[in-house]
Structures are given as structure tokens and as C-alpha cells.
Amino acid sequence: MSDGVEGNDERRRTGDAAVPEPQEVPEPRPGEAEPAAEPEPATLVKTGAADRTEARAGAKADEPGTGEADDAAPDASGTPAEAPQDSPDAPDDPDDGSDGIRYERLPDPPPPILDGVRARPPAPPGLATLVAAAVTALLSGLLLGDGLAVNALILALPLAAAAWFAARQAGRRPRRSSLCWGAGGLALLAVPVWSDAEWPTLLAVLAAAGLGALALHGCRKWSGVLLAPLGLVLAVRRAVVWGWRGVRERTAGGEKDLGPLLRSVLVAVVLLVVFGGLFAAADQAFADLLGSLVPDVDGGSGVPWRLFLALLGLAAALAVAHTAAAPTRWDGLGPGPGRARGRVEWALPLVLLDLLFAAFVAVQAAVLLRGEDVVHAGNGLTYSEYAREGFWQLLFATVLTLAVISVAVRVAPRSGPRDRLLVRAVLGTLCLLTLVVVASAVRRMDLYMGEYGLTRLRLSVVAMELLLGVVVLLILAAGVFGARLLPRAVLASAAVAVLAFGLASPDKLIAKSNLAAHRDGRTLDLGYLSGLSADAVPALDRLDEPLRSCALRSIAVPDAPWYATSLSQARAHEILTARPVRDHPCRDILTDDIYPSVR
């Protein structure tokens, strides 16, 4: 190869602008447009002669002895090669006094972080998917304005149908694990059907959304389990555009035109409204039945709020369908294993932590075995000081231990069987000692609740501590059988705990526990009990008057439509209808200590 060609090749390698050879650029004929330059994948920036000299000097310093070519590199005939005036790399105006401005390539920008895990955009949604999304929007506007109960389960059905139709159109078949997660999400929606309390209902709805997101994305790793719910939120904007494309295609005419269906639905609505109104005017019983089944759009929440709920339901349905058709593979964003540490470097801090846990467990053995005797034997030690304060420290210690275990697993030595044995021994010991800490924390709170009774906060934190103990047991099982199923096992255990917690009716348990303590001669915090939900009405109904009326007067049991009425609300409504609340002065009763008066 000639020296001139080598010089041009070298300039391409060292970062200077590629100078094409004159003989390779065809001269345009008169009247013809100049050939367009091929687009470069990299960004081009202008640089002066000084910058170009510095770039060449740096390239020569980095790659000595490679035969670099400068601007005066001779071509095959021995004359210096110059860039033609019509070359795309030449300056636009050579007479502008720019002293030889040249172009240099900048490195390509890094791709967005989600490009590696996001699927290709799916085809526009089909007619079945659009109809399911429209039904979800309509039901959201009609049913969600009065609260959550059976309507949450009703709305889940068109959402699941939209996901099913979109996945089938995209050629995706659901896995058995995805079907199980979806069934679990539907089971969690039984909590608002059963219970009236807002806090278990909120936990159940959030857990159902998490299981639904996992069913749509099909994730298996920790990154996927944690980021799957976020994927639904991030998919809303793309899903709305995707749905609009589908509507435009279906309304443009053709075999699958949406126009006939819309006209048919409109005619059906007009007929139902006209004849339904006539029949309601002709018979009062039919009017009452129709009024109980059809939502009252003008009542309570108002049209603007219901319109907002309808738009929210439409966006949620499109996001679910889009995710089912083209899920984001969040598992690809998970961090890989960290740099393995040496045995001493890794094991020394954890062994010392094990010894600290062992010392604490040895001290706690007396509390776990004797309990109340140890508390009463302390100098001025009360249940409040011992159980309440110590519980929070132990709860935080349990959470922090799980964080330590997760970091230790990533940087654990993994050279061979001896390293695996060391990791299992050290972390297994830490997990077993953590279980004793969990038992100590639960025992402390049990002593505290036995003295002062149940409350929502006390019951919630005990349930949280027990769930952490289950997570520790799952980590122990993962150390024996492998950690492949650990993320999904932890999520499944949390979902089961939320379901059991909601179906157990915590407010009902709190009322029963306090009334049982009240029968044993302890004081009754009637002011706190009067702030519970309708779940507690059957238990509080057993109080004698005037305590019963004072406790039940503040519990709101709204006369909501059938789709927004839980079973607990229906039961409380029956009790209060059969035995109405009496009018008693309750200010002193709600503030003073109440002594036993319960049937």
C-alpha cells in the first residue's frame, strides 16, 4: 500500500478528520447536485490548528513508532495530499480566515440505562384490548368514587382481560408463575371485601399491585422484584401513546373498524336509559332495584372527581396492557456479585458480630424463660421502659442484620468448597442468633401488650417483626438449598402475611383483647376503642350501657352502595339498626378510667 494511503488510514486511527483521497471523490457534472456525505455515527466538532497539533502530539505520545502521518503526508505520487474543496470534511468556506478549521470525532454518548432491558415497542393494541381498557375506565368512574370494597375486585377483572388480550396479540403466553402471582393479587383484593379498616385495606391493595406487576414482568431477581411496580408507573406515558395509535388505526376504516362498535354501544345506552326510565316510573319496586344497582353519578363525589377516576383507570389499563405486551426485563439491571474478599478480611468482622449477638442472647435467656419475674425484679424497671423502648432497638437491629447479610453474600469468598463452608457457617450462625433476637423483641412486646392492651401500632410492629423472622428463616433455607428462589419466596411470604393480617380484622382483635382485659378487672380505654372501624362493632356491642352507646357513637358506618360496602360494614349496619345507639352524655365516660362492665 502507498504511503499516502497509509497516512490517511493513520489519521483515521489517531482521531484526526479522515481526509479522503482526491481520486476517490467523483467530480460532479455541471447541473448535478453534489453527492451527499454518509452520516457519521459519532459527533463532529470544529477544532483549530493548535488543537489539531495537540491531538497529534498526544496520539504520537500514546502510540510511538506506528508511522503517523501529518498534514503534509505524501500521496502515491510523492506530492502532499490535500483535501478537495467539495469534501464533507473540508471547511465550508476556506477563505473565512479560520486558519484551517477541521472536524474531530467525539465519542458516541452512552445509551440510556433502560435500552438494554426494555423490549421493542409492541404493535398497536387490538380491538379486544381497547374495549377492556374502555370498560376499566367506565367502571373506575362509576364505582371508585364511594370507597373500596367489592368494586376493587370488579375492576381487577377488566384489567386482567386487557393484559391477557395484549399478551396474546404480541405472541406471549403467560407462565405458570405469572398466573400464580396474578391469582395471589386477586386474593389480596378480598381484604377490602371483608374488612372496613383502612390500614389493612391499603396494605392489601399495594401488595396486590406489587404481585400484579411481578406477574406482568415475570422477574425473578431482587432488582426485578423491587423495580417491577415502578415499571408500571414508567410505562404510563408510552402506553397512552400506544393506545392512541391503536384507536387511530381502528377508526380509520377497514375490516376491524371501531366505528360500528361505538355506534352500537351508543344505541344500546340510549335504549336502556329510555326503557329503564319508563319501567322505573311504572313500578316503584323496580325503581328501587334499579337505584340500588346503578351508581349515582351525581351523588357525593361529583362529576369532575369521577371523570378523573375514569382517566386514571384508563391510564392504568393501558399501562397494564402495554407491559403485558412488551415487559421491561428489570432483572438485567441487577448488580453482579461484588469483588470477592479474602477469608480473613471477610470473616473477621462477621465472627466478631456473631460473638456480640451470642453475648446478647445469653443475657436475654433469662427474659425469654422467666419474663415477668425479670421485669419486676429490676430496680424501678417498668413494662413501658423495658418492653417499648427495647423493642424498637431490637427491630432496628433485625433490619440492619438483614442488610449486613445481603452485603456479606455479595463479597463472600468463593474459591472452592472450603469458602462455601465458611460462608454457610458464619452467616448461618448469624441468622440463628438473629432469630433469638426476634424472639426477644416479640416477647418484650407481648409483656407490654399484656399489661397495657392491644393497639394498632403495637399489633402492626409485632406482625412486622414476625415477618422479619420468616425472612431470616428463608435466608437460612437459601443457604442450604440455594438462593435462586429467595426473592420470590420473600415476596410470597410478605403477600401471605398481608392477606392473613387483613382477613384477621385487626380492629376486631384489638376490641376483643381490650374487652377481655376489661373483664379481668383492668381499665378500659374507651376513647381509643371508639376510634376503631366497623370491624370492632360486634365486639363493642357486648358492652353494657352507657358504655356501648358511647363506644359505638363515633364509629362511622356509612350507608354506601352495594359495591362500596364491605362485609364488616354490612354486619355493623345490621347491629346498629337492630339496637340503635342511645343518647347519653359521654364526655366523662370517654376520658375517665372505666371499670368492668361488659356482658
Side-chain angles (χ1 to χ4, degrees):
M1 185 179 292
S2 63
D3 295 337
V5 177
E6 292 177 357
N8 287 332
D9 291 340
E10 194 58 32
R11 275 191 293 275
R12 294 187 183 96
R13 288 195 300 269
T14 55
D16 270 348
V19 182
E21 301 179 35
Q23 61 271 21
E24 295 180 359
V25 180
E27 293 291 340
R29 297 179 181 179
E32 293 183 358
E34 295 182 3
E38 295 184 1
E40 294 289 342
T43 306
L44 301 179
V45 296
K46 292 183 178 181
T47 57
D51 297 332
R52 196 166 59 253
T53 303
E54 293 176 3
R56 273 197 304 276
K60 291 180 180 180
D62 295 337
E63 297 179 358
T66 56
E68 295 87 343
D70 53 13
D71 291 341
D75 58 9
S77 61
T79 59
E82 297 180 359
Q85 294 297 327
D86 57 353
S87 171
D89 291 335
D92 297 335
D93 187 3
D95 298 328
D96 60 355
S98 59
D99 193 19
I101 294 178
R102 303 290 295 276
Y103 291 86
E104 290 186 354
R105 291 188 182 90
L106 290 180
D108 293 332
I113 188 173
L114 296 182
D115 279 1
V117 297
R118 181 175 289 170
R120 294 181 179 180
L127 180 60
T129 304
L130 293 176
V131 170
V135 171
T136 304
L138 179 63
L139 293 179
S140 298
L142 293 178
L143 304 183
L144 285 184
D146 300 298
L148 284 181
V150 188
N151 48 10
L153 194 58
I154 294 175
L155 281 175
L157 300 180
L159 277 175
W164 177 268
F165 292 137
R168 291 295 297 268
Q169 181 186 356
R172 299 184 67 247
R173 293 185 177 181
R175 301 173 180 175
R176 284 180 293 181
S177 60
S178 296
L179 295 178
C180 291
W181 292 126
L186 292 177
L188 282 166
L189 294 180
V191 173
V193 178
W194 176 263
S195 175
D196 176 55
E198 295 180 355
W199 49 303
T201 297
L202 179 60
L203 285 176
V205 171
L206 292 178
L211 293 188
L214 189 62
L216 294 172
H217 290 90
C219 300
R220 299 184 178 184
K221 298 181 180 179
W222 281 113
S223 57
V225 170
L226 297 176
L227 294 177
L230 179 62
L232 289 178
V233 179
L234 297 179
V236 170
R237 183 183 63 83
R238 292 180 286 115
V240 171
V241 176
W242 175 68
W244 176 246
R245 287 174 53 200
V247 172
R248 290 183 59 184
E249 288 194 3
R250 295 301 180 273
T251 54
E255 183 181 355
K256 297 182 178 180
D257 190 3
L258 198 59
L261 177 63
L262 294 178
R263 290 191 295 268
S264 177
V265 170
L266 180 60
V267 172
V269 169
V270 172
L271 292 177
L272 290 177
V273 170
V274 172
F275 285 94
L278 292 175
F279 291 151
D283 187 83
Q284 184 61 36
F286 182 79
D288 295 339
L289 175 63
L290 195 63
S292 62
L293 294 178
V294 178
D296 185 10
V297 179
D298 295 331
S301 53
V303 176
W305 173 243
R306 292 184 181 272
L307 181 60
F308 170 77
L309 292 175
L311 294 176
L312 188 64
L314 179 62
L318 291 176
V320 166
H322 185 277
T323 304
T328 302
R329 301 301 181 185
W330 295 105
D331 286 345
L333 295 180
R339 183 172 66 88
R341 305 292 177 175
R343 295 176 183 173
V344 176
E345 180 185 3
W346 179 86
L348 180 60
L350 295 176
V351 169
L352 294 178
L353 184 62
D354 286 345
L355 293 177
L356 179 63
F357 270 64
F360 178 80
V361 167
V363 174
Q364 292 300 300
V367 178
L368 292 174
L369 295 177
R370 290 187 290 165
E372 297 182 4
D373 296 336
V374 175
V375 175
H376 288 302
N379 295 327
L381 194 62
T382 65
Y383 283 104
S384 177
E385 295 172 351
Y386 181 79
R388 183 178 58 188
E389 296 178 2
F391 173 83
W392 292 108
Q393 281 83 353
L394 295 181
L395 177 63
F396 183 73
T398 305
V399 176
L400 190 59
T401 302
L402 295 177
V404 169
I405 292 174
S406 64
V407 175
V409 169
R410 292 192 67 245
V411 299
R414 42 185 177 269
S415 300
R418 297 181 60 185
D419 287 336
R420 288 195 295 269
L421 181 61
L422 175 65
V423 171
R424 290 180 178 178
V426 174
L427 294 184
T429 302
L430 183 59
C431 289
L432 291 175
L433 295 174
T434 303
L435 288 176
V436 181
V437 173
V438 170
S440 176
V442 173
R443 179 58 174 162
R444 286 170 182 258
M445 187 54 66
D446 179 63
L447 295 174
Y448 184 62
M449 291 187 300
E451 183 71 16
Y452 296 101
L454 280 178
T455 63
R456 289 177 171 177
L457 179 61
R458 297 164 192 169
L459 191 60
S460 299
V461 294
V462 168
M464 183 64 184
E465 185 70 29
L466 292 175
L467 178 59
L468 292 177
V470 173
V471 172
V472 175
L473 287 175
L474 292 175
I475 293 175
L476 278 172
V480 178
F481 302 104
R484 186 175 63 90
L485 299 177
L486 180 60
R488 289 177 288 175
V490 171
L491 182 63
S493 63
V496 171
V498 171
L499 179 61
F501 189 74
L503 296 181
S505 298
D507 283 3
K508 184 177 181 180
L509 294 178
I510 293 170
K512 285 185 175 181
S513 173
N514 282 270
L515 263 64
H518 182 54
R519 284 195 299 268
D520 294 337
R522 297 181 182 177
T523 59
L524 185 67
D525 189 353
L526 200 62
Y528 180 82
L529 296 179
S530 64
L532 299 177
S533 65
D535 297 346
V537 170
L540 297 179
D541 183 57
R542 301 167 58 189
L543 285 169
D544 292 333
E545 294 290 350
L547 301 183
R548 174 188 176 274
S549 296
C550 292
L552 296 178
R553 180 176 301 173
S554 301
I555 297 180
V557 185
D559 189 11
W562 64 271
Y563 52 82
T565 301
S566 65
L567 295 179
S568 293
Q569 287 178 329
R571 175 61 178 160
H573 190 270
E574 292 178 0
I575 292 175
L576 296 179
T577 301
R579 293 182 295 277
V581 175
R582 301 178 184 177
D583 188 11
H584 292 291
C586 299
R587 176 175 300 179
D588 295 336
I589 295 177
L590 293 177
T591 55
D592 294 342
D593 291 337
I594 307 300
Y595 289 95
S597 179
V598 59
R599 297 192 300 272

